[in-house]
Amino acid sequence: QPCYEGGGDYSDLIPTDRGTWGLVVGDVSGKGVSAALVASNLQAYLWSRRNDPSPLSTIMAEANDLLRTLARGRKYATLVVAEWSAESQTLTWVNAGHPPMILKAAGALRRCAATGIPLGLLRDRDYTQESARLEPGDLLLLLTDGVTEAANGAPGEEFGIERAEDCFQGVTGSAELVEALSARLREYMAGAEPKDDVTVLCARCAPAK
């Protein structure tokens, strides 16, 4: 949900020739058309690398240098790129300065925090990739700071990551989780105008074929 006509948030599902899928959520600094243009460049870059067997950490490090060159430090982006292999039931990801990805695996919640700095700030940065093996029914939630930093006018209080985690209680499906989070966010905002783009991507681990 863009705050203005054009938004700087970016979400995507990217198939690869390895039979895996890329799951992406990002947020470009600023708002409006200028941020949307940078987001479209990031999308083009990630799609151009979709069949590259290089580690995600390498792809993200090269994305960082590319954005730093193109934007000359005037724009940066936070980004989570995850690759899901249904064959091995393994999720691998890099978090470039983005709000934590939330995993619910084996009944427990895990915050997957940043493994590197936002893209485009400094050259020659290293990014660490992490991975987890999931079981059928495990849930993954990616969101932007338009969710976590949403404010309803109360001084010093934001929606926060904890309220997002609370939405996992009692849900079993990805659509159900998105609906629960959306309803909780609407209730919290109580009619206040959003100040930032809001993006949510949720996935549920299915049994291996």
Side-chain angles (χ1 to χ4, degrees), residues 1 12 23 27 32 50-51 53 58 81 90 108-109 112 121 160 170 176 183 195 207-208:
Q1 296 178 343
D12 217 344
L23 297 88
D27 183 4
R50 67 190 184 280
N51 295 326
T58 298
V81 177
T90 300
L109 291 180
C112 305
L121 289 178
E176 188 181 3
K195 303 298 183 183

Side-chain angles (χ1 to χ4, degrees), residues 15-20 49-54 56 59 83 85 87:
T16 76
D17 62 2
R18 300 181 295 280
T20 63
R49 301 294 296 269
R50 67 190 184 280
N51 295 326
D52 189 331
S54 300
L56 285 181
I59 292 172
E83 184 174 13
S85 169
E87 181 179 4

Side-chain angles (χ1 to χ4, degrees), residues 8-198:
D9 280 5
Y10 162 47
S11 64
D12 217 344
L13 298 172
I14 303 176
T16 76
D17 62 2
R18 300 181 295 280
T20 63
W21 284 86
L23 297 88
V24 185
V25 166
D27 183 4
V28 177
S29 60
K31 300 177 181 66
V33 174
S34 62
L37 288 172
V38 174
S40 68
N41 285 335
L42 284 173
Q43 180 185 41
Y45 170 80
L46 291 174
W47 274 82
S48 75
R49 301 294 296 269
R50 67 190 184 280
N51 295 326
D52 189 331
S54 300
L56 285 181
S57 55
T58 298
I59 292 172
M60 291 288 269
E62 293 175 5
N64 172 65
D65 290 345
L66 178 62
L67 183 55
R68 182 65 180 80
T69 298
L70 293 176
R72 301 178 184 177
R74 293 189 296 264
K75 287 287 186 182
Y76 65 90
T78 66
L79 190 72
V80 176
V81 177
E83 184 174 13
W84 169 247
S85 169
E87 181 179 4
S88 65
Q89 299 279 279
T90 300
L91 185 75
T92 304
W93 68 88
V94 173
N95 182 334
H98 200 74
M101 178 177 72
I102 306 173
L103 278 177
K104 184 176 184 181
L109 291 180
R110 173 185 174 185
R111 294 184 192 179
C112 305
T115 60
I117 68 170
L119 303 180
L121 289 178
L122 300 168
R123 298 183 189 278
D124 302 322
R125 299 292 98 181
D126 291 329
Y127 291 83
T128 301
Q129 67 182 45
E130 298 183 353
S131 63
R133 182 175 173 80
L134 304 184
E135 300 293 337
D138 290 347
L139 289 167
L140 161 70
L141 179 65
L142 296 169
L143 42 74
T144 59
D145 62 8
V147 176
T148 57
E149 296 179 3
N152 61 6
E157 186 171 354
E158 298 177 339
F159 186 79
I161 196 73
E162 293 84 3
R163 287 185 176 89
E165 290 174 333
D166 288 344
C167 295
F168 281 81
Q169 296 181 12
V171 304
T172 58
S174 54
E176 188 181 3
L177 177 55
V178 171
E179 291 170 0
L181 178 57
S182 299
R184 182 74 182 272
L185 186 59
R186 285 194 302 270
E187 179 184 11
Y188 177 79
M189 293 295 289
E193 288 295 324
K195 303 298 183 183
D196 201 357
D197 305 328
V198 172

